[in-house]
Amino acid sequence: MSKVFKNRIDAGQQLADKLEELTLEDNALILGLPRGGLPVAAEVANRLNLELDVFNVRKLGVPGQSEVAMGAMTEDGTRYLNHDLIQALQISDADIDQVAAREQATLERRAEEYRRGRKQPSFEGRQVILIDDGLATGATMRAVIESVRLQKPVRITVAVPVAARDSADAMRGITDDFVCPLEPRDFRGVGLWYQDFAQVSDDEVTEILAQARRP
């Protein structure tokens, strides 16, 4: 298995190459998913000269197995739940609410820390491009799509450097555009396709957003 991307900056540059093939409106908005999606999204926004912001979302981990996603939740409270998994593991509504309450606290903290009092930009009537550093199960991205769609954008595009094939196929069914340079048959995990997949800190996200282009 070869490492296709040097780091998230390189991944963003390769993703921007693909996005340049689309017709993008001048007021298109790029939203990076924290934390790993922000360096990727920043490279794309700089190349395409588009507005960049953050869209906060958190995985909802299975109780006792937090690395396994039973769904995801955005900062406005929108939830995506994997009902098949929840039923199979017999996870109660109370358990889900307990996990969601814990993640909501993190979402609120990040919204305050990242935006520093700025309001989230309006999505209505705009093309919105959602970017992460990769797509495994797609749970977090599904929650974001559902939340963004409530604000009536004219078009939703999901763009990631690498994705599991099943998740990529699912995204094509629920978005207007899905852009992904790499869909390996043997996926096994996002980080395996990066030479450097170091964790992105809150300070790095804040710095990226401080330097981002805005109207």
Side-chain angles (χ1 to χ4, degrees):
M1 181 185 297
S2 62
K3 305 288 188 178
V4 176
F5 308 111
K6 294 177 183 177
N7 49 35
R8 289 182 178 87
I9 292 174
D10 178 44
Q13 292 168 350
Q14 293 192 43
L15 192 58
D17 291 340
K18 293 293 184 182
L19 282 164
E20 283 183 324
E21 299 172 8
L22 295 183
T23 300
L24 302 174
E25 302 294 332
D26 290 341
N27 73 336
L29 172 66
I30 290 180
L31 296 175
L33 276 58
R35 290 180 290 196
L38 263 295
V40 181
E43 288 300 312
V44 174
N46 289 337
R47 171 84 69 83
L48 304 180
N49 195 30
L50 293 175
E51 182 181 359
L52 171 69
D53 212 297
V54 63
F55 198 94
N56 288 300
V57 61
R58 290 283 289 177
K59 177 179 73 176
L60 297 177
V62 170
Q65 303 178 65
S66 59
E67 73 283 356
V68 179
M70 62 179 174
M73 179 179 175
T74 64
E75 64 183 271
D76 67 358
T78 300
R79 295 184 192 177
Y80 164 76
L81 298 175
N82 184 336
H83 293 288
D84 290 340
L85 178 64
I86 289 168
Q87 185 174 8
L89 296 179
Q90 299 183 326
I91 301 169
S92 69
D93 289 345
D95 286 339
I96 295 171
D97 289 342
Q98 185 176 31
V99 173
R102 185 169 60 248
E103 298 301 347
Q104 182 65 38
T106 299
L107 288 166
E108 291 174 358
R109 177 187 62 78
R110 284 186 172 180
E112 176 64 26
E113 184 175 349
Y114 293 168
R115 292 206 182 89
R116 303 288 175 91
R118 288 187 299 105
K119 291 184 178 180
Q120 187 181 72
S122 173
F123 308 154
E124 186 173 356
R126 303 177 71 178
Q127 181 178 11
V128 177
I129 303 167
L130 305 172
I131 294 180
D132 205 351
D133 54 14
L135 199 68
T137 66
T140 54
M141 190 63 80
R142 282 177 176 269
V144 172
I145 291 168
E146 290 184 16
S147 180
V148 169
R149 188 168 281 135
L150 294 174
Q151 297 194 41
K152 299 180 180 179
V154 69
R155 195 170 189 85
I156 295 177
T157 298
V158 168
V160 293
V162 59
R165 287 193 176 184
D166 288 348
S167 297
D169 289 341
M171 282 295 137
R172 291 187 177 92
I174 60 175
T175 60
D176 297 296
D177 302 294
F178 178 71
V179 178
C180 181
L182 180 64
E183 297 176 29
R185 186 179 303 277
D186 186 19
F187 174 71
R188 292 196 283 173
V190 172
L192 295 178
W193 302 95
Y194 287 79
Q195 293 177 26
D196 176 6
F197 197 64
Q199 187 175 33
V200 177
S201 69
D202 286 332
D203 287 343
E204 287 177 274
V205 171
T206 302
E207 180 64 22
I208 288 169
L209 293 171
Q211 297 178 6
R213 172 188 177 273
R214 297 192 182 87

